[in-house]
Amino acid sequence: MTVSATSSKDTALQQASSLIERALAGELSRPVVKSFFDEATFTASHVVHDPATQYAAIIDSVLDYDAASGRTTHESADEIIAYVRQEGLKIEWLLETHAHADHLSAAPYLQEKLGGKLAIGREIITVQQTFGKLFNAGTEFERDGSQFDRLFDDGDTFEIGNLHAAVLHVPGHTPADLAYIIGDAVFPGDTIFMPDFGTARADFPGGDAHRLYHSIRRLLSLPREARLFLCHDYKADGRDEFVWETTIGAERDENVHAHDGVSEDAFVTMRTERDRTLDMPKLLMPSVQVNMRGGRLPEPEENGTRYIKIPINAV
């Protein structure tokens, strides 16, 4: 399980494109992808495995959380565990595309049950610094990414069995968003959605619509035939089913916010105006508070109980 890095974003993009092209041509292994959709948070989690070796990665898992009672359960994660065990898969990686604001990560629970290294982008440190202050997390909360086993940089590469994988830093929704390219499959997190729904919001702390535009154009520079597995779907108007798989080509041709020909100014104007109309995600406070800790709940207080903080009039 090796990791290497390159400092050039152009080189990183070329590397990712070459990986996809070689997988499509049959020179490299193509992954098997099994997706699990959590309708409560509209989140798609993905299990990606190498059919030759059965080594696998889990991307963007969900810890079930009831905001009214403050209770957590593991039904969604247990469904993934059952599939992994049924297929005889060996988990090498637990991959997070970013510190989600709409669901809690089940990565620590999955790691306990299945093993694997927990990874996220290095800019999680920026997120920890920003939200560590918001939640007054105290000096005991390390703001150095040490809650994760691996912090990926733009252009890093790694393996899942015989599968070759690469990392692209795609900020804008948050500072820390990553896209994982695994064979001919692309996992862009929240950066982009199904063509009929558009793109991610950019109004969270550290978000930036200009950076989001450039990240999307970078992703859409990948080969058109690449499979795209999204992190969310919200059923656009007129569509009755949840869908989370498309292609780079379909996004370039049909994405309602970011198809080929949309200028940066037009995109930023649209995104800024649209974001003003959006409510904050219902699970923003618990999600970020937990996910900035690598999916771990805050430490118990002196009475043995863990607490989620809700800052008043602060966001």
Side-chain angles (χ1 to χ4, degrees):
M1 193 160 41
T2 60
V3 176
S4 59
T6 179
S7 60
S8 168
K9 287 192 174 184
D10 289 339
T11 301
L13 183 60
Q14 292 168 5
Q15 175 179 258
S17 295
S18 175
L19 191 159
I20 293 169
E21 290 168 352
R22 293 177 65 196
L24 289 169
E27 298 174 18
L28 297 176
S29 298
R30 299 178 65 186
V32 174
V33 181
K34 171 70 173 178
S35 301
F36 298 81
F37 191 74
D38 176 54
E39 191 168 341
T41 61
F42 306 103
T43 302
S45 304
H46 309 287
V47 180
V48 188
H49 83 263
D50 170 27
T53 66
Q54 298 297 93
Y55 281 107
I58 300 171
I59 303 176
D60 291 335
S61 61
V62 173
L63 176 69
D64 302 300
Y65 175 75
D66 179 66
S69 66
R71 293 188 178 276
T72 61
T73 55
H74 299 105
E75 284 88 349
S76 295
D78 285 340
E79 188 177 355
I80 291 175
I81 291 170
Y83 169 77
V84 167
R85 290 176 173 166
Q86 174 186 317
E87 297 298 315
L89 304 182
K90 297 166 281 190
I91 300 301
E92 280 199 286
W93 293 97
L94 301 156
L95 303 174
E96 300 288 341
T97 55
H98 63 297
H100 309 276
D102 40 30
H103 71 271
L104 282 66
S105 170
Y109 176 74
L110 291 169
Q111 189 174 45
E112 176 187 346
K113 300 294 184 180
L114 300 172
K117 289 189 175 183
L118 175 57
I120 200 168
R122 185 171 301 280
E123 287 301 314
I124 187 63
I125 295 170
T126 301
V127 174
Q128 290 176 331
Q129 291 169 345
T130 299
F131 284 96
K133 293 176 183 177
L134 176 65
F135 293 118
N136 195 29
T139 56
E140 69 277 6
F141 171 54
E142 299 292 341
R143 295 162 170 83
D144 57 2
S146 57
Q147 299 84 353
F148 299 85
D149 300 309
R150 177 74 64 181
L151 299 182
F152 282 125
D153 292 302
D154 187 67
D156 280 355
T157 61
F158 61 102
E159 284 77 43
I160 305 168
N162 292 336
L163 293 173
H164 293 263
V167 175
L168 294 179
H169 182 212
V170 286
H173 173 59
T174 79
D177 287 70
L178 293 185
Y180 296 103
I181 293 82
I182 304 172
D184 69 321
V186 180
F187 302 86
D190 288 12
T191 302
I192 196 166
F193 300 136
M194 288 298 294
D196 59 359
F197 199 85
T199 60
R201 65 195 299 166
D203 60 334
F204 294 151
D208 184 285
H210 289 279
R211 296 187 81 189
L212 180 61
Y213 177 83
H214 288 287
S215 292
I216 291 170
R217 296 321 309 172
R218 194 172 186 224
L219 282 173
L220 298 188
S221 297
L222 295 169
R224 292 179 60 91
E225 298 80 12
R227 296 180 289 164
L228 198 63
F229 293 90
L230 309 175
C231 187
H232 293 289
D233 186 54
Y234 302 97
K235 279 201 293 194
D237 291 342
R239 176 155 53 83
D240 296 327
E241 296 181 348
F242 291 108
V243 186
W244 48 84
E245 181 181 351
T246 183
T247 65
I248 293 292
E251 296 283 11
R252 290 186 60 176
D253 294 341
E254 303 168 13
N255 188 284
V256 294
H257 296 164
H259 58 79
D260 285 356
V262 174
S263 70
E264 181 175 352
D265 287 346
F267 176 84
V268 170
T269 297
M270 175 281 302
R271 191 68 267 168
T272 303
E273 292 177 353
R274 182 177 173 84
D275 288 352
R276 290 195 188 106
T277 71
L278 300 178
D279 294 331
M280 285 290 105
K282 293 179 180 179
L283 296 184
L284 172 67
M285 294 302 177
S287 294
V288 176
Q289 210 163 152
V290 168
N291 294 337
M292 71 180 186
R293 292 178 164 88
R296 297 170 184 86
L297 299 174
E299 290 298 316
E301 298 194 7
E302 58 270 15
N303 63 354
T305 301
R306 302 175 190 269
Y307 292 90
I308 295 291
K309 292 182 179 179
I310 307 295
I312 305 301
N313 299 324
V315 177

